[in-house]
Amino acid sequence: MSNEVNEQELVEVLSAQTKVAPAVIRLVLKHEQAFINKAKANAKGEVDIDNDDLVDYVTAQRDVKLDELTVETILDAEMDYLMDKGLAGYID
Protein backbone atom coordinates (compact mmCIF):
# COMPACT_ATOMS: atom_id res chain seq x y z
CA MET A 1 0.00 0.00 0.00
CA SER A 2 1.29 3.45 -0.88
CA ASN A 3 1.64 6.20 1.70
CA GLU A 4 0.71 8.73 -0.94
CA VAL A 5 -2.71 10.33 -0.75
CA ASN A 6 -4.55 10.72 -4.02
CA GLU A 7 -5.51 14.37 -3.57
CA GLN A 8 -8.14 14.29 -6.32
CA GLU A 9 -9.83 11.27 -4.74
CA LEU A 10 -9.58 12.82 -1.27
CA VAL A 11 -11.16 16.09 -2.42
CA GLU A 12 -13.94 14.24 -4.26
CA VAL A 13 -14.73 12.10 -1.21
CA LEU A 14 -14.71 15.09 1.14
CA SER A 15 -16.84 17.15 -1.23
CA ALA A 16 -19.41 14.35 -1.51
CA GLN A 17 -19.52 13.87 2.27
CA THR A 18 -19.59 17.53 3.29
CA LYS A 19 -21.40 19.12 0.30
CA VAL A 20 -18.62 21.74 0.14
CA ALA A 21 -17.13 22.79 -3.22
CA PRO A 22 -13.83 21.07 -4.13
CA ALA A 23 -12.02 24.42 -4.50
CA VAL A 24 -13.01 25.37 -0.95
CA ILE A 25 -11.88 21.98 0.38
CA ARG A 26 -8.49 22.41 -1.35
CA LEU A 27 -8.16 25.81 0.36
CA VAL A 28 -8.91 24.32 3.79
CA LEU A 29 -6.42 21.48 3.16
CA LYS A 30 -3.76 23.98 2.06
CA HIS A 31 -4.09 25.93 5.32
CA GLU A 32 -4.22 22.69 7.31
CA GLN A 33 -0.91 21.63 5.73
CA ALA A 34 0.67 24.99 6.59
CA PHE A 35 -0.43 24.55 10.22
CA ILE A 36 0.93 20.99 10.38
CA ASN A 37 4.22 22.06 8.80
CA LYS A 38 4.71 24.58 11.63
CA ALA A 39 3.97 21.98 14.34
CA LYS A 40 6.86 20.37 16.20
CA ALA A 41 7.31 16.60 16.19
CA ASN A 42 7.87 14.75 19.46
CA ALA A 43 10.78 12.39 20.18
CA LYS A 44 9.07 9.62 18.18
CA GLY A 45 8.69 11.89 15.17
CA GLU A 46 4.93 12.16 15.67
CA VAL A 47 3.12 15.46 15.41
CA ASP A 48 0.30 15.99 17.88
CA ILE A 49 -2.26 18.40 16.42
CA ASP A 50 -4.96 19.91 18.61
CA ASN A 51 -8.09 19.90 16.45
CA ASP A 52 -9.51 23.05 18.06
CA ASP A 53 -6.28 24.96 17.39
CA LEU A 54 -6.28 23.72 13.80
CA VAL A 55 -9.90 24.77 13.21
CA ASP A 56 -9.20 28.19 14.75
CA TYR A 57 -6.13 28.61 12.52
CA VAL A 58 -8.01 27.68 9.32
CA THR A 59 -11.04 29.88 10.07
CA ALA A 60 -8.72 32.81 10.90
CA GLN A 61 -7.29 32.83 7.35
CA ARG A 62 -8.65 35.75 5.35
CA ASP A 63 -9.43 33.67 2.27
CA VAL A 64 -11.51 31.11 4.22
CA LYS A 65 -15.18 32.10 4.38
CA LEU A 66 -16.45 29.06 6.29
CA ASP A 67 -17.77 28.75 9.82
CA GLU A 68 -15.95 26.63 12.41
CA LEU A 69 -18.45 23.77 12.18
CA THR A 70 -17.97 23.43 8.42
CA VAL A 71 -14.17 23.49 8.72
CA GLU A 72 -14.33 20.92 11.52
CA THR A 73 -16.62 18.72 9.42
CA ILE A 74 -14.16 18.83 6.50
CA LEU A 75 -11.18 18.04 8.73
CA ASP A 76 -13.03 15.21 10.51
CA ALA A 77 -14.02 13.69 7.16
CA GLU A 78 -10.40 13.97 6.01
CA MET A 79 -9.17 12.20 9.15
CA ASP A 80 -11.72 9.40 8.63
CA TYR A 81 -10.51 9.03 5.04
CA LEU A 82 -6.84 8.92 6.09
CA MET A 83 -7.55 6.42 8.88
CA ASP A 84 -9.50 4.20 6.47
CA LYS A 85 -6.45 4.24 4.18
CA GLY A 86 -4.14 3.46 7.12
CA LEU A 87 -2.28 6.76 6.73
CA ALA A 88 -3.19 8.47 10.01
CA GLY A 89 -4.35 7.76 13.52
CA TYR A 90 -5.02 9.32 16.85
CA ILE A 91 -2.39 9.43 19.60
CA ASP A 92 -3.75 8.28 22.94
Side-chain angles (χ1 to χ4, degrees):
M1 178 183 347
S2 169
N3 282 346
E4 291 295 313
V5 173
N6 179 332
E7 183 183 348
Q8 183 66 34
E9 177 184 320
L10 171 64
V11 170
E12 288 172 5
V13 168
L14 297 184
S15 181
Q17 286 181 353
T18 63
K19 309 298 185 232
V20 175
V24 176
I25 289 174
R26 281 192 178 85
L27 183 63
V28 169
L29 297 179
K30 178 185 85 166
H31 289 304
E32 174 196 28
Q33 192 60 52
F35 181 86
I36 290 169
N37 289 345
K38 293 178 190 173
K40 302 286 184 240
N42 65 16
K44 296 178 185 174
E46 300 168 332
V47 177
D48 186 18
I49 301 295
D50 182 280
N51 204 44
D52 292 334
D53 291 345
L54 175 56
V55 170
D56 290 345
Y57 175 84
V58 172
T59 56
Q61 304 309 305
R62 280 191 275 169
D63 55 350
V64 176
K65 308 289 188 229
L66 300 172
D67 59 59
E68 286 186 10
L69 183 60
T70 303
V71 170
E72 191 168 346
T73 301
I74 292 168
L75 296 174
D76 287 347
E78 179 198 21
M79 189 63 171
D80 291 344
Y81 173 89
L82 294 174
M83 287 175 44
D84 287 347
K85 297 285 185 183
L87 300 174
Y90 290 104
I91 299 173
D92 292 329

